[in-house]
Amino acid sequence: MSRNASASTRIRVAAGVAALITVACTASATASGRSPGADSPTKPREAAALTGSAKLSRTLGDDITFTFDAHLAAEHRTDPAKATGTFRFSHYLDGEGAWARGRIDCLVTGGKVAVATGVITGSDLPGAKGKRVGFTVHDLGRHDRLGYSWASVGNPAENKDLPKCVSSAPFERVKNGTGDFRVLPWQPDFVE
């Protein structure tokens, strides 16, 4: 056998072995209930998430902070209304303002954009407790953007019957060096 024929045979054998290893790993992952490349061998990755904390950039010096810890579990991949977690925000200027915290009740993400809603469970803003509020985050690394459902009405207490997973465009900028939001993209089964 010639040297070129021998080298060609070795390349074909190596390619065949690599293909078999890939098929075996994929079959093993599928048999165990995981997708190939899943984060953990025992638990699939969560379906979506919005996490982090940051201050907004305001020219007048407003101190506005948002914090999110929102998650959609893998087993609820097809129902964003089963999201869980918490949110918190505050807005102060010259010692005046308010804060609120609450529980997440919906989370949808697409690429690096997340829309979440939640119900306020505690606040020092009169009329805010029990109101649903919405948030939109665009995760752009160190230049994130944020929007909120009360942008056009003035404050969260003025939201009227906001549906789940509804908010405004992310028109506000995060102040450099104050934090970061992270969005884990949703991958529902019906989307390729």
Side-chain angles (χ1 to χ4, degrees), residues 21-92:
I21 290 171
T22 301
V23 169
C25 289
T26 302
S28 173
T30 303
S32 68
R34 295 183 295 124
S35 61
D39 294 337
S40 166
T42 59
K43 183 178 174 188
R45 108 176 176 38
E46 63 188 336
L50 167 61
T51 58
S53 182
K55 293 180 183 266
L56 299 185
S57 181
R58 287 288 185 93
T59 57
L60 297 178
D62 300 60
D63 183 2
I64 306 170
T65 303
F66 284 83
T67 301
F68 303 103
D69 187 22
H71 303 272
L72 181 61
E75 63 266 21
H76 301 304
R77 177 176 314 285
T78 59
D79 189 357
K82 291 201 174 177
T84 61
T86 59
F87 66 86
R88 183 176 177 87
F89 60 88
S90 61
H91 183 172
Y92 293 96

